[in-house]
Amino acid sequence: MSAAVRATPLTVLACAMVIAGELLIMKGMYDWTNRPRDVTGQPPQGDRVVVYLAALLVAAGAAVFAVSGARGPALAVLATAIVPVLLILPGYHTMNFYPSLIMVTVGVAMALRTMLAPGIPVTLVSVLGFFMIAAAGSFLLRGLVDAVPPLDWGTEEEARMRANGRLVCGLAGLALLPAPLLWLATGHRWLAALSAPFLLVAAFPLIARNSALGWFVFAITGPMALGGAIYALFADR
């Protein structure tokens, strides 16, 4: 490996900060999502604060990566810290532990690759595509939980929850729409083809309000869209 792309003390430090922060994010998310639903909607608890502080540590690691010259990887790492924080904003409940696990895994992998092979670039387009699909997809999952619950008791509270879930799904769909357009505009046609079907998930709770078909479509199209975005993050040049 040439001196121009050899790992430096800064990249080693940044990698350590990112890995520590990502693991703390995962720990905080796991503890927080295991709280009762009526508790998770209250003002910040200790578990939520842990996630916030851990995200700051990841962001600091990303800043060190940027200072060392790895600006693309720094943005990618930062995106993996922002998404979990978005999922635990005060006033919301969540079941987004598994999407957050994916974000943490991607963040750790990106940090390790940047330390071991700092000369490999990460494009801004791939970072934007990844962030939009990860964030919007996670909120789409949250909306589906409310819009299509496993049991229908017909209560007023459940009707309010369903309406809120449909709103979240609709807004998540709007946030997701730029992703396939971005891929298409930058010549990534196959990535656009993988991500576009994911938009169908947002439509099902609005069209067929009691249908579980949205869950089936999510299970098929979600991994396609996110998998393509992760591939682009590590392979797009």
Side-chain angles (χ1 to χ4, degrees):
M1 184 180 293
S2 67
V5 294
R6 185 177 297 128
T8 66
L10 275 181
T11 58
V12 174
L13 173 63
C15 183
M17 293 171 67
V18 170
I19 292 176
E22 297 283 17
L23 293 178
L24 285 173
I25 286 177
M26 197 73 270
K27 176 65 166 58
M29 284 289 297
Y30 177 79
D31 292 340
W32 183 75
T33 53
N34 282 326
R35 289 178 176 270
R37 181 189 179 100
D38 58 341
V39 174
T40 58
Q42 295 175 7
Q45 305 90 18
D47 302 327
R48 185 183 258 148
V49 173
V50 167
V51 176
Y52 294 156
L53 295 178
L56 288 177
L57 179 58
V58 175
V64 176
F65 271 135
V67 170
S68 71
R71 296 180 181 178
L75 289 175
V77 166
L78 184 60
T80 67
I82 292 175
V83 173
V85 170
L86 292 177
L87 299 179
I88 60 169
L89 294 175
Y92 288 97
H93 73 280
T94 182
M95 64 163 286
N96 292 87
F97 174 77
Y98 293 108
S100 296
L101 178 60
I102 295 173
M103 296 303 102
V104 167
T105 303
V106 171
V108 170
M110 181 60 68
L112 288 172
R113 193 189 75 167
T114 305
M115 181 185 69
L116 298 174
I120 301 178
V122 176
T123 66
L124 178 60
V125 168
S126 66
V127 173
L128 290 175
F130 168 76
F131 177 76
M132 286 188 287
I133 291 173
S138 297
F139 276 93
L140 200 52
L141 175 60
R142 172 187 291 174
L144 275 176
V145 172
D146 284 345
V148 189
L151 297 176
D152 186 358
W153 301 104
T155 63
E156 183 177 341
E157 172 64 18
E158 188 171 70
R160 185 196 64 79
M161 186 179 70
R162 284 178 177 271
N164 180 72
R166 289 192 293 271
L167 176 61
V168 172
C169 284
L171 293 176
L174 290 176
L176 183 63
L177 179 60
L181 298 178
L182 174 68
W183 292 132
L184 194 60
T186 54
H188 298 77
R189 296 182 179 179
W190 70 273
L191 289 173
L194 286 176
S195 59
F198 200 21
L199 291 166
L200 295 174
V201 180
F204 278 104
L206 304 176
I207 299 172
R209 298 190 174 186
N210 296 317
S211 174
L213 187 58
W215 283 107
F216 176 76
V217 177
F218 184 95
I220 299 298
T221 62
M224 287 170 46
L226 186 57
I230 292 174
Y231 175 82
L233 200 62
F234 286 88
D236 187 36
R237 296 292 176 267

